[in-house]
Amino acid sequence: MTKQSVVVPAPEAATAAAMMPPNTAAPLLPYPPPRAVRKRYQQKIDHVAGSCWVDSMRASSPTHAKAAAALAAGVDDEHAAWVVKHPSALDKFDQVVAASKGKQIVVFLDYDGTLSPIVDDPDAAYMSDTMRRAVRSVAKHFPTAIVSGRCRDKVFQFVKLAELYYAGSHGMDIKGPAKASRHTKAKAKRVLFQPASEFLPMIQQVHESLLEKTKCIPGAKVENNKFCVSVHFRCVDEKSWSTLANMVKSVLKDYPKLKLTQGRMVFEVRPTIKWDKGKALEFLLESLGFADCSDVLPVYIGDDRTDEDAFKVLRKRGQGIGILVSKYPKDTNAPLLPPLAAATLTSLARFLLQVMEFLLRLVEWERLTKFRPKW
Ligand SMILES: O=P(O)(O)OC[C@H]1O[C@H](O[C@H]2O[C@H](CO)[C@@H](O)[C@H](O)[C@H]2O)[C@H](O)[C@@H](O)[C@@H]1O
């Protein structure tokens, strides 16, 4: 299973291994080592740690090695087995609606890679008008929330729908709908929850340090997400990845209360508090009055490692449907009916269409059942 907490491999482990001669349990050098040796140690540590990070950075690139090979080879055995284990939510739509019988569906949507295409420039990840219409229709029928790593204001600028709940900064900045809808209780408008507010000055400092430190790396982009910071390496030459990783780590050395995780070709600097998209999901369900209810069916659609935290919560509650948007086989905690995968490897654009189709089918089904004569 993918574990959010171990997104980035601990470089220390690899470093320690690299410092050991083969088949020996003890280091060869005296401790503490002489200065010159210490310097060489450090270079080696940086090199090994860097290469560890580079492996992890590579793994976050969908166009990289294995994925590219799989694409070239077409549907391989591994992919076929994965599709059997994780059938398409569209193919299983009847089961989705059967599971919702007598329950209130609540829809949770990740933004990047789920509602918008993955593009090089994070500021240009626009969602299409058709997707916006689909989300608007969904929100007319079901309470709906966007749960994103981005800062709340920015994701709102992209989505532009005032009737939704928004949980930005990986769930650390939650706000109820600005515009009332049929599902909005009066108190929803007052919902504002920021469990990491004390970290704001620290995040601001780190953002500035990261901007300064990484400005010499062409293509690196530092994004201020209010309660967290993203350092993008999608447009950085692979040769500079380990340098960039070491720069980020060196800035974070002075901030033990911040942690580093990794998303899709991006480092995420976040407060160490126990709060993530899963906690945000629980908080939102509670705000909607579904704290310990059995008559609710949360449906969460997401594509990233951070969405696994929400999938885990659904799994733990034994309630809800997690839909992983992914064109490559990967481990997931998405419960019940993962993922929106087709039987063939397709482009991301096709996955966005599938997300849209799924949302529209939910709306259509709700309309039909509402007006269906009860005989
Ligand atoms: O939780 P999400 O809504 O999926 O946000 C996660 C990160 O998404 C954005 O970065 C990703 O999308 C970019 C635009 O397509 C892409 O260039 C980048 O490589 C992806 O990692 C966003 O910019 C980050 O701040 C979010 O943390």
Side-chain angles (χ1 to χ4, degrees):
M1 290 287 160
T2 310
K3 288 193 185 63
Q4 174 58 27
S5 51
V6 288
V7 167
V8 179
E12 299 81 352
T15 308
M19 307 302 284
M20 301 286 216
N23 305 321
T24 331
L28 282 181
L29 293 163
Y31 188 85
R35 211 185 155 146
V37 177
R38 266 205 322 262
K39 197 167 168 214
R40 280 210 307 278
Y41 255 32
Q42 194 52 51
Q43 279 165 353
K44 187 153 189 164
I45 285 169
D46 287 347
H47 174 75
V48 175
S51 59
C52 249
W53 279 73
V54 169
D55 286 347
S56 165
M57 289 160 94
R58 270 196 199 111
S60 80
S61 161
T63 53
H64 228 281
K66 198 172 169 202
L71 266 178
V75 181
D76 57 12
D77 289 350
E78 187 192 355
H79 186 261
W82 183 71
V83 172
V84 170
K85 206 167 141 212
H86 304 295
S88 159
L90 285 171
D91 293 346
K92 300 286 172 187
F93 191 77
D94 288 350
Q95 286 178 33
V96 173
V97 292
S100 74
K101 201 163 173 228
K103 295 181 179 166
Q104 170 67 58
I105 290 180
V106 181
V107 178
F108 296 88
L109 301 164
D110 166 54
Y111 183 72
D112 289 277
T114 298
L115 297 179
S116 69
I118 292 294
V119 291
D120 283 351
D121 178 5
D123 294 332
Y126 303 108
M127 83 195 265
S128 66
D129 287 340
T130 41
M131 183 65 96
R132 185 171 297 103
R133 277 198 290 276
V135 176
R136 183 183 285 127
S137 303
V138 163
K140 262 191 203 143
H141 293 87
F142 313 103
T144 303
I146 306 286
V147 188
S148 172
R150 288 185 183 259
C151 96
R152 180 166 52 77
D153 289 348
K154 194 140 170 205
V155 82
F156 178 76
Q157 280 164 26
F158 281 130
V159 178
K160 296 190 185 110
L161 294 172
E163 57 272 49
L164 309 183
Y165 287 79
Y166 287 87
S169 306
H170 295 292
M172 288 179 283
D173 190 6
I174 301 181
K175 195 160 184 318
K179 186 172 131 191
S181 77
R182 183 161 81 77
H183 310 285
T184 329
K185 299 189 178 121
K187 75 169 197 187
K189 285 189 98 173
R190 293 195 300 274
V191 170
L192 177 66
F193 187 61
Q194 299 180 325
S197 48
E198 66 183 281
F199 286 86
L200 217 49
M202 193 186 284
I203 291 287
Q204 195 55 40
Q205 270 180 21
V206 167
H207 174 245
E208 278 157 27
S209 308
L210 286 169
L211 269 180
E212 182 57 33
K213 191 109 188 175
T214 62
K215 67 180 181 201
C216 56
I217 306 271
K221 184 165 172 99
V222 181
E223 192 183 4
N224 188 341
N225 283 330
K226 192 163 180 174
F227 295 106
C228 42
V229 181
S230 294
V231 181
H232 294 271
F233 54 89
R234 183 171 293 279
C235 297
V236 173
D237 189 309
E238 201 172 322
K239 288 193 202 91
S240 305
W241 284 6
S242 72
T243 314
L244 181 68
N246 284 325
M247 280 175 176
V248 176
K249 280 190 296 166
S250 75
V251 169
L252 283 198
K253 246 189 250 155
D254 299 330
Y255 297 94
K257 287 191 169 170
L258 299 180
K259 65 178 173 187
L260 193 56
T261 57
Q262 205 181 308
R264 294 173 78 150
M265 306 206 80
V266 68
F267 290 123
E268 315 255 25
V269 177
R270 298 158 66 169
T272 46
I273 59 163
K274 287 198 173 118
W275 196 269
D276 52 35
K277 288 185 173 186
K279 293 275 185 198
L281 180 146
E282 283 179 320
F283 177 89
L284 284 164
L285 285 176
E286 199 171 308
S287 306
L288 284 158
F290 297 115
D292 295 308
C293 283
S294 55
D295 54 358
V296 62
L297 187 82
V299 174
Y300 189 107
I301 310 184
D303 72 316
D304 209 349
R305 287 169 175 176
T306 55
D307 299 308
E308 292 294 328
D309 294 321
F311 293 150
K312 269 188 224 164
V313 166
L314 294 184
R315 217 171 239 271
K316 207 165 127 212
R317 290 172 74 105
Q319 186 181 53
I321 292 169
I323 298 173
L324 174 72
V325 181
S326 175
K327 51 182 167 172
Y328 307 113
K330 62 179 177 190
D331 287 338
T332 177
N333 287 292
L336 305 181
L337 287 168
L340 264 180
T344 49
L345 296 166
T346 54
S347 70
L348 183 65
R350 174 131 173 72
F351 277 79
L352 296 185
L353 286 178
Q354 290 187 349
V355 171
M356 197 153 67
E357 187 182 340
F358 181 84
L359 296 178
L360 292 174
R361 278 175 77 173
L362 265 190
V363 170
E364 196 50 27
W365 166 82
E366 173 73 3
R367 274 198 198 123
L368 289 173
T369 43
K370 211 171 5 173
F371 299 115
R372 188 175 293 155
K374 299 200 173 19
W375 57 71

